[in-house]
Amino acid sequence: MSKRDELIVKYAADLKDKCGVTPNMDLLTKVTIGCGPSIYNADAATVSGTSESELATVKNNFLIKKLGLKDGPDLDKGINTVIDKYGRSNKNKYRAVVYYLLTVHFKKENSYK
């Protein structure tokens, strides 16, 4: 099993165990691939739910640039909903899991066709 496949299995477990979500493995794989090499870097692979600059990066680089959403209060609400679902006290919020949850939340699965 490749390192990426191992990470996808870990992300799927996080979705099930911490978020109560049964992931669409095809979508999770595509979201993980879309994260690029960041998934292999310990710092870049996670999202800090308490860092305003980190959440702004998620909003600008993922929601607006990747998913093509318009900036507005709905994006911040969506990010907060996802962070709450993942668990604010959970230290390791994996970027691929957060992006997966945001993709589903905003119903933008077709961005990964």
Side-chain angles (χ1 to χ4, degrees), residues 3-53:
K3 179 70 173 159
R4 183 175 71 202
D5 290 340
E6 290 173 15
L7 288 170
I8 291 168
V9 169
K10 186 189 326 185
Y11 301 153
D14 252 28
L15 282 162
K16 285 179 192 160
D17 301 339
K18 296 178 181 169
C19 306
V21 172
T22 301
N24 171 331
M25 292 306 290
D26 186 49
L27 179 61
L28 180 57
T29 300
K30 290 176 181 176
V31 169
T32 302
I33 291 169
C35 289
S38 70
I39 62 172
Y40 305 110
N41 177 302
D43 185 47
T46 58
V47 172
S48 169
T50 57
S51 167
E52 290 300 320
S53 64

Side-chain angles (χ1 to χ4, degrees), residues 101-112:
L101 291 169
L102 286 167
T103 301
V104 172
H105 177 82
F106 287 107
K107 296 177 176 44
K108 295 297 279 184
E109 293 90 340
N110 60 357
S111 297
Y112 286 97

Side-chain angles (χ1 to χ4, degrees), residues 45-94:
T46 58
V47 172
S48 169
T50 57
S51 167
E52 290 300 320
S53 64
E54 176 82 19
L55 297 177
T57 300
V58 169
K59 182 165 104 172
N60 291 322
N61 292 353
F62 184 69
L63 295 178
I64 295 172
K65 290 181 182 171
K66 171 65 181 164
L67 298 185
L69 297 169
K70 298 281 182 229
D71 194 2
D74 285 350
L75 299 189
D76 294 318
K77 283 185 206 164
I79 291 171
N80 279 319
T81 298
V82 163
I83 297 296
D84 286 341
K85 182 175 230 168
Y86 208 155
R88 290 201 180 267
S89 62
N90 176 12
K91 278 188 157 182
N92 292 320
K93 292 179 200 56
Y94 293 108

